[in-house]
């Protein structure tokens, strides 16, 4: 088999440190499957799922040959639908979708991201303040303004916290801007996933869930949806042989 004849799997797996295994840990190339990771920096800072998928594909074009499947991890799962639509709209066959420990909804991780980012600064606001600043109505109606407001708030609080720890004014501003930039990437990704069309969907979707996962899947209405539950912890799901077998079965 020529290299271009091997199945091609596009991967949506957000970069950065995490304790859980990554798609690369499945070592799919050793089993005749080409993988191409689309979430590489610089990441799109847009808040619409269709535009996010289009920009990621433009920045990191897929290798030659038809796309067999798209695999997405956790909060990236809704973006897989937009990416598949983009590929199909350009004349390609509709890829199969493989969603790994997919989040059942994207509002909770958006709110959690703000709460966690503040906690890293030693700031623990009341839940009422979290809800006031991370307003779900603004997330729905003005996603760009929603992201900008939270990123700017984080940058201001980070600069204040760093100055309180003894950083000079210029150093505090520079470090706070770096932190805010990393958060802007992550929050944009989450909001774009939140603003992705996942329904209707008439093609096959495979859910692969860990034993520690929720097992609750967001409603996408796929007629060919099926689920495989792997008896392992979430952190080991993407290094499990059973997970690899399930992915290989989906792309072959």
């Amino acid at each position: 088999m020529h290299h271009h004849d091997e199945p091609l799997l596009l991967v949506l797996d957000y970069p950065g440190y995490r304790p859980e295994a990554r798609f690369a840990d499945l070592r799919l190339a050793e089993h005749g499957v080409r993988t191409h990771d689309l979430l590489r920096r610089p990441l799109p800072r847009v808040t619409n799922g269709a535009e996010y998928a289009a920009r990621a594909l433009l920045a990191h074009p897929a290798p030659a040959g038809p796309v067999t499947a798209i695999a997405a991890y956790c909060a990236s799962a809704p973006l897989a639908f937009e990416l598949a639509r983009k590929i199909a709209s350009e004349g390609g066959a509709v890829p199969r979708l493989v969603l790994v420990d997919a989040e059942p909804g994207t509002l909770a991780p958006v709110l959690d991201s703000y709460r966690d980012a503040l906690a890293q600064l030693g700031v623990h606001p009341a839940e009422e303040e979290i809800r006031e600043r991370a307003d779900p109505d603004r997330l729905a109606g003005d996603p760009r303004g929603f992201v900008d407001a939270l990123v700017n708030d984080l940058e201001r609080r980070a600069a204040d916290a760093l100055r309180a720890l003894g950083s000079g004014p210029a150093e505090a501003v520079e470090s706070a801007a770096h932190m805010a930039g990393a958060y802007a990437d992550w929050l944009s990704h989450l909001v774009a996933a939140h603003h992705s069309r996942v329904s209707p969907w008439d093609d096959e979707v495979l859910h692969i869930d860990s034993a520690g996962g929720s097992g609750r899947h967001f409603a996408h209405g796929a007629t060919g949806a099926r689920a495989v539950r792997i008896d392992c912890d979430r952190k080991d799901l993407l290094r499990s042989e059973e997970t690899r077998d399930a992915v290989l079965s989906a792309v072959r």
Side-chain angles (χ1 to χ4, degrees), residues 199-247:
S199 179
W201 191 256
D202 297 327
D203 293 284
E204 181 176 320
V205 175
L206 171 64
H207 285 272
I208 301 176
D209 300 311
S210 66
S214 68
R216 294 180 293 115
H217 303 143
F218 53 84
H220 46 64
T223 55
R226 62 189 181 93
V228 174
R229 199 162 183 83
I230 307 298
D231 187 19
C232 71
D233 292 335
R234 179 181 176 90
K235 66 181 179 62
D236 296 319
L237 184 59
L238 284 175
R239 63 171 61 94
S240 164
E241 291 185 12
E242 292 178 79
T243 301
R244 182 168 60 239
D245 289 345
V247 174

Side-chain angles (χ1 to χ4, degrees), residues 185-196:
D185 283 344
W186 176 230
L187 186 58
S188 296
H189 176 265
L190 292 176
V191 172
H194 185 73
H195 285 274
S196 292

